[in-house]
Every structure is written in structure tokens, then in C-alpha cells.
Amino acid sequence: MLGRILIYAAFGGMLTAAFAYMYSFFSGDTKPIKIARAAYHVGAVSVILTAGYMMNLLLTHQFQYTYVWSYSSYELHPPLLISTFYVGQEGSFMLWTLYTSIIGLILMVYSRKHHYESSIMGVFSAIATFLVLIFVIKNPFEHVWQTWPSTVKAGFMPDNGRGLNPLLENFWIVIHPPILFLGFASTAVPFAHAISGLLRKDYRKWINVAVPWTLFTSAVLGFGITLGGFWAYETLGWGGFWGWDPVENSSFIPWLLAVASVHTLLVQRRTGGFKRANLIMGMLPFLLVLYSTFLTRSGVLGDTSVHSFETPGMWVYVFLVALIAFFAAIGFGLYFFRVRDIPKQKISYTLTSREFALFLGAASLVIVAGFTLIGTSAPLITGILEGKPSAINASYYIKTNLPLAIVMAAMIGLGQLFWWKKSNSQTLLKTMRFPLTAAAVLTAIVSFAGMHDISMILFFLASSFALFVNLEIAYKIAKGKPAFMGASLAHIGIALLFIGIIASTHYDKHVTLSLSPNEPQTAFGYKLTYTGTTQLDHGQTAYNVMVQSGSSRFNAPLVMYASQYNGGAMMRHPYIFSLINYDIFSHPALLAFIGKNMLTRDLYLSPQGLEQVGESALQATQYGISIPLKLNEPVKVGRYTYTFTGFQVPESERKAMMDGRPFHLNSIIKITNDAGKIQTIMPTDEIEPNGNTKLQSVTTKAGDKFTVLDVHVNDQTKMAAITMGYLPADNSPDISLLKQAAEQAQDTKQGLVIEATIKPFINLVWGGVLVMVIGFIVTWRRRRAELMQEQAQPVSQ
Amino acid sequence: MKTKYIVAGVVIVAFVVFGAISFMQNNIAYVSAKTAEKTNRTVQVKGSWVRNMQSYYDPNTNTFHFYMMDDDKTILPVVLAGAKPNNFEIANDIVAKGRFEDGAFQASEVLTKCPSKYQSKTGPQASTQSASNSLN
């Protein structure tokens, strides 16, 4: 009940604030502002209390609440228990709302100082109102008996909750979503400022506040996305850090637009140009966050996304469409209403000006965002055009975005060398000499080393050029004004990231190994030995693979288990030898091993499954000794030599098989005795569509009984094999073979199938992003300090 | 001034055409198992795993072999390049992307659609509750 009251208070507060602020803005009356401030405070405090109330329910295990029951349990440790707050649909919206409310409190103080509070906070309160409306429509504090009225009795208190999905039970769920959602929430600030600028016909000053916030969004969202990529690489075993999945793309697109906006805003600051473009660019990240939320939460992606979100029901769909329509209509409506009024500043620039490089860079970012958006919306587009939603292949993104990435990399280098307005070609050539030579030499070396793909060579050349240009500039700035090196740091980061992407995704090598217990195999210079299993907590099993390089060796526990939570599905976790490996704390010896082998490449070991090894092993079954036979490979057991020569399937049976009806399969086996006498038998199996097999044995004149126990056809290699049961006639000397087979059966071991991958220079991906984020933060701090100064001594601009 | 707009226009048109072509090339049509057998284009087939027919992983070729049944109840042998996909056992729908070749559907990717993975249909139950959790 308390939860509902808090939600209504929050909604009432935010709605009142939105109307009071807007009334004040349009009427020019300053009196309602006081009401609006009080109302916003009521709203924000209620949101904070609502979140606190939810957190309290989770921490005190109030399983009578559906949300608490659905995502948490007694077994969860505090950090994971806290993370259940935002694991579900309602909770993640609540986290977004919480951030938005708190950002609004900060924004209120800012905008008040700068005398544009009513318009900014009017828009911002409207956004907060809509977010709170989600909880008015869908109560997050529903009791279990309200959710499942037909199966759960009123007042029922479950013993325990369902718990957290084991896939999410790790450190990353604690850190990745809170950072990502902070990035999402922060996009509302530039949006509110752009709208406020349009409302006030102030097309210049709004950007002063928007710049630091856009930098903040770029840093936070960029960092959050990377954490997600690292999570996928490190724990989920997807093999890579990026899969172009809609859920990944949906945070990538707003980030691209925020970064593009950083660049176009810079042009406006320096030259006064791009006023119209910047208003649109200020709105887009927020609108795209809304659109992405719609794509990934409403269920429109259907079964085309790997991330299966729960099917949320119609209300989310309708609500999110209304939300996008509302804010897009306000934004674009106002823009088109004002567009004639926006002064056009002609900026005269040449092809070798920094403005042009910034424009090209930003344009590339926007086009990448556009291509990615279209690809992500493919299920929606094809659903409308073809009637059946289908996802696009990941190759689409690479094909469309690669040329743009090359342009971007080139501009990251050139843009820093160009001057504003026009560059002196003499100086330009002089400054280009070092980075261009260095990049060309490096590219020549790597193409000798095996990079032959022309698009990769171009991408590498442009990226390394960008790297050397920015390294040189960063070095110069660091000696003078380190506070100004943010841009070159961010660009160094991007250049490193690009090189890391080329190396780790285009030049990775992988091999699938079937490891028999204690029989070493060599891959990529490492000796890999499957040494056995270790039982872990929660019914999970580690399959230990000893990895040896030179004299040093280390055990890699590859984890596989059937997850009860996910309906018994098999979960597989890789083990990665990389510079980022926490096991060095428990195993200091690992440090030397990693330092020696993993500086330039990761070894990624991913478990695939278990299989019976020792195919030649005879086994004792109720049908006698089981003998595996490969096509046309004679096998001698006891008195006879057996050759499996193929199957015989009549046409009628073939049709039955394709129609899914029971069908008969005859296996042809040639039996040769010591005297060279040949006899051919054809045991028949009747295979029903439900997989049950009726075996029909063949008894020879000598009294030996043969049965085909299993049929095995490799569709790719066309290799057929069968397992034949052989029951010798009574008192046959072969009976001793049965004993032998029984003994061998006990020795039968399970082999481990793993995929070993070498990821060259993947550390450049992580390192690059880190440097880039630091660059954003350095610039953000500088712009914020400038803003503070401007506010301290209001200068008329 | 005019040349600037012409250049910009040409660039935009070029990007739109390039994007549209890439989109069509990489957008893989949904077809029935029967159509998949006839065409040599890369397509995707939606259906369900035939649990009771043989399925196995071949470590020599790193392929997972199984049979799927599409919505028209046609059974299609599938060879997936890779191991058994995550959530394969619990998926009620699967989507295989690939091409029919050498008597089987050679899939490059198999997507699994899981039944309300994170949601319960019946809610908490008194007796089974503790039992199901002890398994976790």
C-alpha cells in the first residue's frame, strides 16, 4: 500500500511540476515557479522513497511481492541481492526513473542560476512524469496472488524466491546496468536544453550546458557498453565482445549520436555554424534511447534477438509508442515551427579545415548510427514488408559500417592536423610527415605479417595514422596544458580500439579439440590436457584443462552445468588466459605465466560438451558385445571379421522417413570367418518418429545373434557407422570377450570437447576504450569548469 | 554553392543505395523446409527440434547434427557448424540460418526462442518451492 501511495505522490508531484513550470514559462509569471519547485521535490523524493521501499522489500525477502519472488532468493549475497533491483522489467525502469529524478534536482540548481529554469525543468519534469507513469500503469508492488490469481491463494507467503538467473549471477550484473542506465538517463538533459533553446529562441547559449552533459553521456554510456562487451567475452562465452545484437545496438546508437553531437557542438562553439543541426543532434540521443527501449522491451523483435526478454504484454508496447510519439512530436514540431527563425551563420571553410574534418567525422558517426538503426529495426521493417519479421545478418553491419569507420579513422588523424577555417598546406605537409611515415611503415610490417585484405589494410593504415597524430599532439599538450588533452586522449583510445578490433576479430584463430582424459594435445603452442572434474557449488562442474607453455603450466577450470532456472538448459562458461584475470590473486604463479604469454594475445578456452571416447572399446550389453563399425572398415573380434558396407532403405521407407512416419532401416554387414567364408546379414531397425527404435535381431545358422543397436550418420562427411550387438552362440569361446568388454566398459571415459581461440591484441580493445573514456572525462571536467566560470561572472555572449 | 548540394545529394543517394543493397543481401528470407531444400540461397527456417530423433555432436568436424520440424510438419536434417546452442533443450522454437546442401540443411547459426525465460506461468507453489530451490 505504501508503495502505491509513494508512486501516486511521485506522479502527482512530477505532473504538477511540469504544468507549473510550463505555465510560468508561457505566462511569464514567476510565482508558480515556487509551486513547481516544491512539486518537483515532492516528486523526486517520492521516487527515491519508492526505490528505497523496493530495495527494502528485496533485502528483507518479502516474497509475497511478485517482483521480489521473481528475481531474488535467500541464497543471494548482498551485492547480487541489490542488483535484483534492476534485473526485471519494472526494476530497470525504476532505476532509470530514479536517475532521472536525481539529475533533475541537480539541473534545477544549475538552471536556476542561469535563469532558464522554467523551460528546462518544464521539459524535464514532463519526462520524469512519463517515467513515473509506467508504475502507475503497471504496479511494481503487485502481490503474487494478484499476478497469478488462479494458481496462488490470497495471502500466500512463498518459502523462497525463484532466485536470479545463474547467467546473471556475477560481478558484472552489479556494475554494468547501473552505469548504462545512468548514461541513458543523462541523454534527457541535452534534449531538455535543445527544447528549451527552441522555446526561448535561444539557439546559442543552450549548448554551453549541453556540451558537458553530452560529454558525460558519451563517457558513461561508452563505459557501460564496454562493460557489457567485456561481460559477454569474459563470462557468457559468446566468443567475442560484440555480436550486433539488438540489445547491444540499442545502447550503441544513442552513444554514437552523443559522440557525433560532441563534435558538431564544438563547431558551433568555435564558428557559430551548425545551429540547426545541433538542435536536432541534441534531441536525437534521448529519442533514440526511447526508440531502443521500445525495440528491446516491447517484444516487436520477436524471436530474432538472442537476448530473450520476457514478453511484456500490450501495455509496454502502447506506452512506449506513445512516449516516443509525444517527445518526438514536441521536439520536431517545435523545430519546424522555429526553423525559419533560427539564424543561419554561413561558415566558410575549405576541405583542409578542421570544421570540415569535424563535419565529416560527425557525419560518419550519424550514418553509422543510421545503418545500425535500420539493421536493428530489420524485424520491424521486414515484419511490415514481408509479413514475417526476420533479423539481419551481422555481416550487414560490418559491410555498411567498415567504409565509414575508415573515413572516421582518417578524420581523427587529419582533423587534429587541420587548422580552423583553412590549413597552410606547407605546414600541413610538414606535420603530416612523421605520423604518415610511421603509419605506413607499421602497415607495411603487419601486411607482411599476414594482413592481406585490402579493406583491413586501409582501416589499419587510417587507424595507425590517427594514433600517431594524436600521440604526438597529446605529448605536446601534456607538456603545456594537460587539462586540454582530453580530445587527443579520446582519439588515441579510439585509434587503439580500431586496431584492437582489426586484430582480434579478423585475425583470431580457433580450433576445436576433443580431449581424452590425460592425453595432451597441442594447440597454438600450448599443451592442453584434460585432467578431470571438480564439483563446484550449486551443482556446477568444472572440467579442468591443464594448460602448459614451456615449463610453466596452469589449470583452466571450464564450467558447464545444467541450469534449473533456465529449464535445465546447458550453461557453458569459458576460461580466458588474459591480462585481466582475477585468479592471479589466488594463484600468484599465474602472474608470471600471463605476463609471459598473454601480453599480445588471449587464449580463450570454451567448453563445448562431453563425449564418449575410446570408440574401439567393446561394451557389454543385453544384446551381447557391442562392436562399433565404421563404413567399409573391417573389424576383427574373436572368430569373425565384420565389415559394415552400408544401409539399405527401400524407396517407400525413405518417403516414410521424410514424412515423419516409422520407417525400416537395414544395415548390411559382411561376416568373414577364419576360413575366409563370407556371410552377409541384414539386421533391421524400425525407427519411429518419436525416436523409439525397435531392434530386430538376426540369428545365424551357427547360433550367433546380431543386432544393430545404433545408427550413426555424419551428414557432412557422409561417414556412416553403426554399433552392432554380437551375442555368441552358447558355449562359444567368444564368451570370454564379454568379460573383457565388461571390464573395458568400466574404463570408458568421457572426453571433453573444447574450442581454443587465440585473440590477438584484444587488450587494445579494452585499453582503447578506457583511454577514450578518460579522454571524455578530462574534456568533461574542463568544459564543466568553464561553465562554472561563465556562471560565476555572467558574460553577455 | 550549387555544386555543394549536388555533391551532398550524390553522396546521400549513394549511401542510401549502398545501405539498401546491403540490407537486401543480408536480410535472410524465412522459408518452409520444403522450399529450403529446393533453393540454393541462404535462408532461415523456423520450427522445433525433433527431440526423439537422433542428435549428436561430431567433434571431428565440430558440427551438431539434429532434425527439426517446420510449421508444415516437414522434417529437415540440420547440420550446425558448432556445438549445441545454449538453451537448445528448453527452446520451444528454433530458427536455423543456412543453406541446403548435400542432403542436409547446413546451418551457420541456430537461434533459440525460450518460453518466458524469466517469467513464471503459475507463480510460487507451496510444496514444490523449496524442492526446486535446493536444486539451484
Side-chain angles (χ1 to χ4, degrees), chain B residues 3-50:
Chain B
T3 48
K4 202 172 119 186
Y5 282 110
I6 292 167
V7 170
V10 167
V11 170
I12 290 168
V13 168
F15 269 117
V16 169
V17 170
F18 173 62
I21 291 172
S22 307
F23 188 91
M24 303 225 282
Q25 277 176 350
N26 292 286
N27 180 46
I28 304 164
Y30 267 107
V31 298
S32 66
K34 282 209 175 86
T35 319
E37 281 178 20
K38 280 174 204 138
T39 180
N40 56 1
R41 284 189 53 208
T42 300
V43 291
Q44 44 190 344
V45 182
K46 185 166 162 280
S48 58
W49 172 34
V50 187

Side-chain angles (χ1 to χ4, degrees), chain A residues 151 395 399 567 690-691 713-714, chain B residues 25-26 52 56 58 90 118 122:
Chain A
T151 51
S395 55
K399 193 173 176 184
N690 64 14
V713 184
N714 183 330
Chain B
Q25 277 176 350
N26 292 286
N52 299 313
Y56 64 95
D58 184 343
I90 54 161
Y118 305 123
T122 55

